[in-house]
């Protein structure tokens, strides 16, 4: 399977704990996006990378959130001191940004439940 | 306020019937994307439209972008149980490659 993969698929944690999610993009895709989706809503943009550079962060991304893409391949999203409001599906997408409009391909998501 | 409005919010149709889902914005849509999502899973890319008046089809699904690039429709012909799921429209509204999504349309197909 050469699509976008995310791990873990599900995570249950207690409030105040730290969690880390991983995303492996489609090989050779230079852009990687993180989105958050809550029940009954569409995905909301969090941040994105072009290669290893983090180009933009949404105001939704508080100081407790940090994302990295150290070698321009896989990415991690860490949430520190989790809160119940962080419970959501975290989606990763990748694309090949060349000239012209790109298409983002999504992974299966990581569903986070904070108790 | 929701920048991208989808209608209807949910839809129940008899298998074999046709259906249409709409996606509307007050702003110009520089890239319009349709995705399908099964409950609790990731998004599956369906189609991307860029030009005013553009129309694309894949199997029994046709998507159109109006001439003003502010409205798109997704039409499914002779619906099947496999078409059930959540259909999301998303758009680049600020020419910054970030997709803003609607809330989705939940489609149920009755056998």
């Amino acid at each position: 399977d050469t699509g976008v993969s995310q791990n873990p698929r599900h995570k249950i944690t207690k409030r105040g704990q730290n969690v880390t999610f991983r995303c492996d993009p489609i090989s050779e895709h230079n852009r990687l996006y993180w989105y958050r989706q809550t029940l009954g809503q569409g995905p909301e943009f969090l941040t994105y990378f072009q290669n290893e550079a983090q180009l933009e962060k949404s105001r939704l991304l508080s100081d407790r959130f940090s994302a990295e893409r150290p070698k321009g391949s896989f990415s991690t999203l860490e949430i520190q001191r989790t809160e119940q409001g962080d419970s959501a599906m975290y989606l990763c997408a990748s694309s090949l940004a060349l000239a012209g409009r790109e298409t983002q391909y999504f992974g299966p998501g990581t569903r986070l439940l904070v108790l | 306020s929701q920048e991208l409005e989808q209608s209807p919010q949910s839809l129940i149709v008899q298998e074999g019937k046709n259906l249409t889902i709409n996606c509307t914005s007050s702003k110009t849509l520089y890239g319009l994307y349709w995705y399908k999502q099964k409950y609790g899973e990731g998004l599956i890319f369906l189609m991307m439209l860029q030009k005013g008046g553009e129309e694309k089809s894949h199997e029994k699904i046709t998507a159109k972008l109006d001439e003003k690039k502010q409205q798109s429709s997704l039409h499914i012909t002779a619906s099947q149980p496999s078409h059930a799921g959540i259909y999301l429209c998303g758009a680049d509204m600020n020419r910054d490659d970030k997709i803003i999504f609607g809330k989705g349309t939940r489609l149920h197909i009755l056998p």
Side-chain angles (χ1 to χ4, degrees), chain B residues 39-89:
Chain B
Y39 294 99
E41 298 182 10
L43 280 63
I44 299 168
F45 171 73
L46 296 176
M47 276 172 274
M48 188 263 285
L49 305 166
Q50 291 189 81
K51 300 175 183 177
E54 187 174 10
E55 178 176 322
K56 289 186 178 179
S57 294
H58 177 67
E59 298 181 344
K60 295 184 178 181
I61 301 176
T62 300
K64 301 178 185 179
L65 182 62
D66 74 336
E67 289 289 343
K68 292 174 63 178
K69 302 205 299 183
Q70 289 184 316
Q71 184 171 349
S72 178
S73 60
L74 185 84
H75 184 77
I76 298 177
T77 304
S79 58
Q80 301 170 346
S82 61
H83 288 130
I86 302 169
Y87 288 82
L88 289 155
C89 72

Side-chain angles (χ1 to χ4, degrees), chain A:
Chain A
D1 190 300
T2 57
V4 179
S5 61
Q6 292 186 245
N7 288 288
R9 293 291 308 278
H10 303 273
K11 179 70 177 179
I12 301 174
T13 191
K14 292 183 179 179
R15 189 176 54 186
Q17 297 295 305
N18 299 342
V19 294
T20 300
F21 310 141
R22 175 176 170 130
C23 171
D24 287 87
I26 293 172
S27 179
E28 297 180 357
H29 274 192
N30 56 353
R31 283 195 178 172
L32 188 148
Y33 297 78
W34 285 100
Y35 290 84
R36 182 174 69 187
Q37 185 179 27
T38 53
L39 204 61
Q41 303 294 317
E44 294 175 293
F45 168 82
L46 292 178
T47 188
Y48 85 106
F49 295 83
Q50 175 138 333
N51 300 314
E52 65 273 11
Q54 187 172 16
L55 295 187
E56 188 169 345
K57 295 194 294 185
S58 163
R59 57 182 169 78
L60 293 175
L61 217 63
S62 76
D63 291 344
R64 296 185 297 104
F65 288 71
S66 62
E68 295 183 342
R69 193 183 184 198
K71 296 182 179 180
S73 56
F74 73 92
S75 175
T76 57
L77 178 69
E78 181 183 15
I79 308 174
Q80 296 182 326
R81 304 181 303 282
T82 52
E83 301 174 356
Q84 289 183 325
D86 297 332
S87 296
M89 172 81 91
Y90 290 84
L91 293 160
C92 173
S94 72
S95 69
L96 181 61
L98 301 172
R101 186 151 298 284
E102 63 191 82
T103 294
Q104 295 180 28
Y105 295 92
F106 283 77
T110 295
R111 184 170 293 281
L112 172 66
L113 178 61
V114 182
L115 300 176

